[in-house]
Amino acid sequence: MKESLKNIFDFLIENRIYNKELQTRYYSGIVKPQNNKAEKIVSLLYRTANTQSQPKIDNLAEFYKKIYENIELLNSFSGFMSVISSNGIETNSYSGLYNGMKNQNGWGEKTSALFVKSIFHLHNNEYPSELKIWNDAPTDLKNNDCFYLPVDAVIIAIFKYIQPKNWNFKNVNKIIGENYSGKDIEVWDDLWFWGFISQIGTGDERKMGWNLNKYWTLRESDKSKKKIMEIQTKAEQFLNILRDNTLHNNV
């Protein structure tokens, strides 16, 4: 499995530009239309929570009430952490942000990790500066700070394809965390992009293959014919890596 991870990671590193372009447009649509920092964070919170397939509406409503009751605290990372933190949670780290979010009504592991990943992207100085929201958010993963991959059905399907077993949020993050650390874990977030456009069907009927229709459903994807052909070629390379490593693991 370690060799399979390396082969996939090498592909992700070589092709970072594609998902980054899409993510930049995605974040721009969330952040730029808002008038102030608090509105930008609220916009990101709503957009992230709405990625859940079966959101717990009543629980989320309680969370949003708390957010609006403390809206003035959303102007800084430290202020936001004071809203979501409880005893024992580190308040100046991304692992602390994850644990704080995971304890909120209506928020689970995947959506908490997705929100933390977005905050990291917006503040790690690798995206346009106009997307930055807070002046005091950490720009890097320091000391023992850690980063969790927002594992969902798309990523789980990839791991099952490589090595059939009962994969989930915890054990996917565990095996990645055992082999990668710091910013290298953030690179793995690109796996969702390549996995999403390289899967056909849903559930147990899901198969691996270039899916142009899924690419078109990504609002922020570049729809030019040249770019689509380029990404299709890259997606086929990605699929070949999965096939080669599936054979390796099942021999």
Side-chain angles (χ1 to χ4, degrees):
M1 191 65 177
K2 187 173 183 178
E3 182 179 345
S4 299
L5 293 177
K6 181 183 182 303
N7 292 335
I8 296 172
F9 183 80
D10 289 344
F11 171 86
L12 298 178
I13 282 287
E14 292 172 3
N15 296 284
R16 298 228 70 192
I17 186 174
Y18 298 101
N19 189 41
K20 188 173 182 180
E21 288 177 347
L22 184 142
Q23 294 284 356
T24 299
R25 287 190 285 269
Y26 172 75
Y27 294 136
S28 295
I30 295 172
V31 171
K32 287 186 176 181
Q34 313 309 320
N35 295 319
N36 56 56
K37 295 177 181 180
E39 289 181 5
K40 291 176 182 180
I41 290 300
V42 168
S43 178
L44 180 61
L45 287 167
Y46 270 91
R47 186 72 71 90
T48 304
N50 287 338
T51 64
Q52 299 180 66
S53 58
Q54 295 179 314
K56 297 179 179 178
I57 301 299
D58 293 341
N59 290 341
L60 280 173
E62 289 302 314
F63 169 75
Y64 291 134
K65 288 176 186 177
K66 180 169 74 170
I67 288 296
Y68 276 98
E69 288 170 357
N70 296 278
I71 197 74
E72 72 283 353
L73 294 175
L74 305 191
N75 291 312
S76 66
F77 181 83
S78 59
F80 182 81
M81 288 299 297
S82 71
V83 176
I84 67 168
S85 292
S86 57
N87 292 337
I89 290 181
E90 168 62 46
T91 59
N92 193 36
S93 68
Y94 284 103
S95 59
L97 179 60
Y98 170 76
N99 288 323
M101 288 303 300
K102 190 160 62 81
N103 291 335
Q104 302 307 302
N105 287 329
W107 290 78
E109 295 170 323
K110 190 270 288 187
T111 43
S112 297
L114 183 58
F115 178 76
V116 173
K117 182 262 311 190
S118 299
I119 293 296
F120 180 73
H121 279 172
L122 294 172
H123 297 91
N124 67 0
N125 296 324
E126 295 183 12
Y127 282 79
S129 59
E130 62 265 25
L131 297 180
K132 186 176 182 179
I133 301 174
W134 291 320
N135 295 325
D136 61 335
T139 58
D140 203 351
L141 300 172
K142 298 179 180 179
N143 302 323
N144 294 321
D145 203 357
C146 59
F147 192 95
Y148 293 94
L149 187 67
V151 173
D152 68 352
V154 169
I155 292 177
I156 288 173
I158 294 170
F159 275 79
K160 281 185 176 179
Y161 184 77
I162 296 171
Q163 188 178 85
K165 61 178 286 188
N166 187 28
W167 292 102
N168 54 39
F169 180 94
K170 284 186 172 63
N171 55 26
V172 169
N173 271 289
K174 182 175 184 293
I175 195 168
I176 289 178
E178 290 172 348
N179 292 277
Y180 299 87
S181 62
K183 285 190 175 182
D184 284 349
I185 294 180
E186 185 270 330
V187 173
W188 280 96
D189 182 61
D190 290 0
L191 186 62
W192 186 91
F193 170 72
W194 296 106
F196 181 75
I197 62 176
S198 299
Q199 294 178 20
I200 301 170
T202 59
D204 294 336
E205 302 301 318
R206 195 184 305 251
K207 297 179 180 179
M208 295 297 165
W210 163 245
N211 195 329
L212 177 59
N213 288 339
K214 277 194 172 181
Y215 182 81
W216 273 93
T217 64
L218 294 172
R219 182 178 179 275
E220 294 81 11
S221 62
D222 187 328
K223 307 302 193 300
S224 66
K225 290 183 178 180
K226 180 180 179 181
K227 182 63 71 174
I228 290 175
M229 290 179 63
E230 187 178 335
I231 289 179
Q232 179 178 353
T233 299
K234 295 292 183 179
E236 292 292 352
Q237 292 177 10
F238 172 72
L239 286 163
N240 285 335
I241 291 171
L242 296 188
R243 295 183 187 112
D244 290 344
N245 285 276
T246 299
L247 292 173
H248 172 78
N249 282 306
N250 291 320
V251 170

